[in-house]
């Protein structure tokens, strides 16, 4: 795995994987990509295949494989992804109450980099998209479900 040190925010050095497309996009190293939001190690950009008026991906700028790889110590990271996604959606004129926030669950993902889908409004989804982004299925889990899973890990330890 090719890794480099990046100091995009000059305070928090983050490790990125140069073989990871989302690492490159989140750190403005991928030609032709555009980061729409960047704050506290979180980046947001548009999904290349949007299923709604607002369809964004919220990612950590450091490399994190996927939601299944997270542990109880990652509750704060997931909360930060959710808060950033909701804040950005509001700034873009989307209604958080009409949004779906969630993660594709491995092996049902195309990029192995943790990314939260923020999709709004849900009424925009066609039949196929409503299946692909069906919450709490084998392939897509809600942000709330993932947070509960991580919090339960803390209780077990």
């Amino acid at each position: 795995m090719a890794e480099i040190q990046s100091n995009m925010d000059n305070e928090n050095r983050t490790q990125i994987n140069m073989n990871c497309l989302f690492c490159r996009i989140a750190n403005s190293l991928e030609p032709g990509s555009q980061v729409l939001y960047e704050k506290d190690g979180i980046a947001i950009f548009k999904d290349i295949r949007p299923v709604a008026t607002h369809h964004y991906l919220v990612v950590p700028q450091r490399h994190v494989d996927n939601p299944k790889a997270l542990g109880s110590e990652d509750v704060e990271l997931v909360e930060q992804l959710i808060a950033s996604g909701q804040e950005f959606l509001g700034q873009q004129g989307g209604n958080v109450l009409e949004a779906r926030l969630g993660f594709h669950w491995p092996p049902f993902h195309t990029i192995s980099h943790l990314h939260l889908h923020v999709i709004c409004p849900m009424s925009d989804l066609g039949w196929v998209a409503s299946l692909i982004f069906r919450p709490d299925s084998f392939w897509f889990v809600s942000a709330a479900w993932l947070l509960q899973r991580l919090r339960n890990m803390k209780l077990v330890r």
Side-chain angles (χ1 to χ4, degrees):
M1 170 164 58
E3 293 182 353
I4 66 165
Q5 292 290 322
S6 170
N7 61 350
M8 295 300 182
D9 62 2
N10 289 330
E11 292 177 15
N12 183 17
R13 293 179 66 80
T14 55
Q15 280 210 325
I16 64 172
N17 175 351
M18 287 303 293
N19 294 323
C20 173
L21 177 63
F22 284 3
C23 277
R24 294 192 312 268
I25 292 172
N27 289 281
S28 301
L29 299 171
E30 182 66 22
S33 65
Q34 181 183 17
V35 173
L36 303 172
Y37 173 102
E38 184 177 359
K39 182 179 174 185
D40 298 327
I42 302 295
I44 300 176
F45 48 92
K46 287 184 179 181
D47 191 293
I48 61 168
R49 292 185 195 95
V51 296
T53 303
H54 302 279
H55 188 170
Y56 308 109
L57 300 180
V58 185
V59 304
Q61 288 181 297
R62 68 180 170 88
H63 188 75
V64 178
D65 277 340
N66 61 62
K68 198 172 185 179
L70 299 176
S72 60
E73 65 280 0
D74 297 306
V75 167
E76 187 176 323
L77 171 62
V78 174
E79 289 174 337
Q80 189 180 9
L81 292 172
I82 294 166
S84 298
Q86 290 174 334
E87 175 188 343
F88 182 74
L89 178 62
Q91 291 171 353
Q92 300 303 305
N95 184 343
V96 173
L97 298 176
E98 297 175 359
R100 178 162 300 155
L101 280 70
F103 302 87
H104 285 292
W105 196 253
F108 303 101
H109 63 288
T110 54
I111 304 282
S112 280
H113 183 112
L114 182 67
H115 56 284
L116 170 68
H117 287 265
V118 176
I119 303 168
C120 179
M122 292 310 301
S123 58
D124 280 0
L125 268 66
W127 185 77
V128 172
S130 67
L131 289 177
I132 292 170
F133 296 100
R134 183 174 150 206
D136 305 330
S137 57
F138 289 115
W139 52 88
F140 189 79
V141 299
S142 69
W145 182 91
L146 180 59
L147 273 177
Q148 188 60 47
R149 179 179 191 267
L150 299 177
R151 288 181 179 131
N152 287 344
M153 287 178 173
K154 275 187 178 179
L155 298 174
V156 173
R157 289 182 183 193

